[in-house]
Amino acid sequence: MKTIFEAKREIPVKGQWDVIVVGGGTAGAIAGIAAAREGMKTLIVEAQGFLGGSATASLVTPLMSNHVDGKPLNTGIGLEVMDRLSETGDCGELWGNKGFFNWEMLKFTLEDMYLEAGGELLYHAKYSAPIMDENTITGVIVETKSGRLALMAKVVIDASGDADVAATAGAPIESGDETGKNQALSLRFSVANIDLEKFADFIESLGAQRPKIEFFHAAHVNGKEYPLTPLFKKAYEDGTLEESDGDYFQIFGVPGRPHELSFNCPRISSLTDGTDVWHLTNAQIEGRQRIRRLLNFMKKYFPGFEDSYIATIASMVGVRESRRVRGEYYLTEEDYVEARKFPDGICKNRYPIDIHSHKKGGGVNFYSHMDKNEYHEIPYRALVPLNVENLLVAGRSISASFVAESSIRIQPNCHAMGQAAGVAAALAIKEGKTVRELDGVKVRDTLRERGANL
């Protein structure tokens, strides 16, 4: 491949912080709140103009349930966020899961909570490179409209979702299954001006249970039989849809947004590397083409959709799995199946293994081997990457196998991992230790004191 050489240049240092969080998404926003509440001078660097990441930019709602005996396994700051949203009617609870939320109001809530904790924000800043002193990260370089900026920190938390910092700082990385193939991408959207009562009546007429309006749910997956399946088959026959449009179709209600539904689709299974800009571009283009066909299909076949229109298309592609770091502990499917617990456990999980169509024509490999009230834990060590000092990784790109990641990647777990990373960064700084030297048991104990279910 032909290359060019870029001239060396001086980059202005714009400040020194205790903790810099790269990525203000599902894990990063919570990590920032946690670190700031521990008294750390904290900066969140975020490429978008708002916090929330997958929840707000990718429209991933609702939160998937992660409960035992009707009680959430993930509490702490993540649940506090949902409680705040509930006060304004922008979050709803179904079967003990306080997970249905309004993504626009979540932007306000996360920003409010972070600023209330004393944190600083840098929006519209894209991570570019680590600043290294041998094998220790001492800051990050970001690209902005103001040029390249150098931001210094005692601890950096990689909450990019794709292990961007870890990969460029020299930590060992893997991605995809044994062949390197990643899970499917999605470009989610919402449709407004729907007569939901009329549509709910229609769903009931198909022999399904009548959906609750605020917690609407309906679905279709090719190769399986759902109440909506005959309509999809008709649409394939008359050319309204392409058959691949029905590979995965799922509808959810949205509290605080009456007459609107969100869609966990279309799913893109062709080019699925969430770290490849060409794959992401393809997902946006192919996704919009599929969304247009799906809207036409629903206006034609779904009573209540006659006057509907597309309200929102996600500004960020939904990525289920991409780079994963190799850390001090490597979480595996066996840890899940055997429900392993750890002295430095910082998160509880029992969400099923959930692998989305990462091979052409595939469906969803969705299964759980756990007993009804069982769970496994994620150890603090899985957040500590090998080879790089004073770097933590939080969210779906922690040290885990392809199969294990498909279970732990849900947002409540990412909230818990983000809080753990923020607390751990603060403890390490206060004790004058590296994050690798830090006692993970102390992290667990501190998280419990802060309201985590551990």
Side-chain angles (χ1 to χ4, degrees), residues 202 231 234-241 292-308:
F202 174 66
L231 302 178
K234 287 182 182 178
Y236 302 153
E237 292 171 0
D238 68 22
T240 303
L241 290 177
R292 183 160 49 194
R293 291 196 294 269
L294 287 169
L295 179 67
N296 291 336
F297 159 69
M298 291 184 287
K299 289 172 75 73
K300 180 176 181 179
Y301 283 96
F302 290 0
F305 277 73
E306 292 83 356
D307 298 317
S308 65

Side-chain angles (χ1 to χ4, degrees), residues 20 25 76 103 126 154 157 162 181 203 206 236 290 313 340 359 370 378 381 428 435:
I20 290 179
W103 55 82
K126 187 170 179 59
K154 297 174 183 176
I157 298 174
D162 299 307
K181 179 70 172 176
I203 294 292
L206 297 176
Y236 302 153
R290 290 176 181 269
I313 295 178
R340 287 178 180 154
K359 294 175 181 169
M370 286 191 179
I378 299 171
R381 287 163 290 158
V435 296

Side-chain angles (χ1 to χ4, degrees), residues 212-353:
K212 295 182 179 180
I213 298 302
E214 189 178 11
F215 308 107
F216 215 103
H217 181 260
H220 161 80
V221 177
N222 284 343
K224 298 183 179 182
E225 289 297 320
Y226 291 83
L228 294 176
T229 297
L231 302 178
F232 276 83
K233 291 180 177 178
K234 287 182 182 178
Y236 302 153
E237 292 171 0
D238 68 22
T240 303
L241 290 177
E242 295 182 7
E243 190 162 348
S244 57
D245 294 330
D247 280 349
Y248 195 86
F249 177 84
Q250 191 173 33
I251 303 173
F252 292 111
V254 188
R257 298 175 75 91
H259 315 296
E260 187 170 355
L261 293 173
S262 70
F263 293 79
N264 182 15
C265 52
R267 194 170 64 179
I268 315 298
S269 301
S270 52
L271 303 175
T272 60
D273 184 350
T275 65
D276 186 314
V277 68
W278 302 106
H279 287 211
L280 294 172
T281 299
N282 175 76
Q284 293 281 3
I285 295 170
E286 182 179 336
R288 276 190 288 270
Q289 293 171 348
R290 290 176 181 269
I291 288 169
R292 183 160 49 194
R293 291 196 294 269
L294 287 169
L295 179 67
N296 291 336
F297 159 69
M298 291 184 287
K299 289 172 75 73
K300 180 176 181 179
Y301 283 96
F302 290 0
F305 277 73
E306 292 83 356
D307 298 317
S308 65
Y309 58 87
I310 294 171
T312 312
I313 295 178
S315 60
M316 187 170 77
V317 176
V319 179
R320 293 181 172 89
E321 170 267 335
S322 59
R323 297 191 196 102
R324 306 183 309 279
V325 72
R326 276 283 193 159
E328 288 292 323
Y329 189 88
Y330 185 67
L331 198 73
T332 66
E333 181 180 1
E334 287 69 33
D335 292 320
Y336 179 96
V337 172
E338 296 180 16
R340 287 178 180 154
K341 315 299 190 296
F342 302 93
D344 61 339
I346 49 84
C347 175
K348 295 179 178 179
N349 173 59
R350 65 164 283 105
Y351 187 72
I353 289 168

Side-chain angles (χ1 to χ4, degrees), residues 150-217:
L151 313 170
M152 310 305 292
K154 297 174 183 176
V155 175
V156 174
I157 298 174
D158 182 348
S160 63
D162 299 307
D164 290 340
V165 182
T168 52
I173 296 294
E174 60 186 37
S175 180
D177 63 7
E178 66 280 359
T179 70
K181 179 70 172 176
N182 299 103
Q183 286 199 55
L185 307 175
S186 289
L187 186 67
R188 296 180 70 144
F189 68 105
S190 72
V191 173
N193 202 35
I194 304 167
D195 185 336
L196 291 178
E197 295 290 348
K198 186 175 182 181
F199 184 46
D201 290 341
F202 174 66
I203 294 292
E204 188 177 26
S205 75
L206 297 176
Q209 183 177 357
R210 191 178 194 278
K212 295 182 179 180
I213 298 302
E214 189 178 11
F215 308 107
F216 215 103
H217 181 260

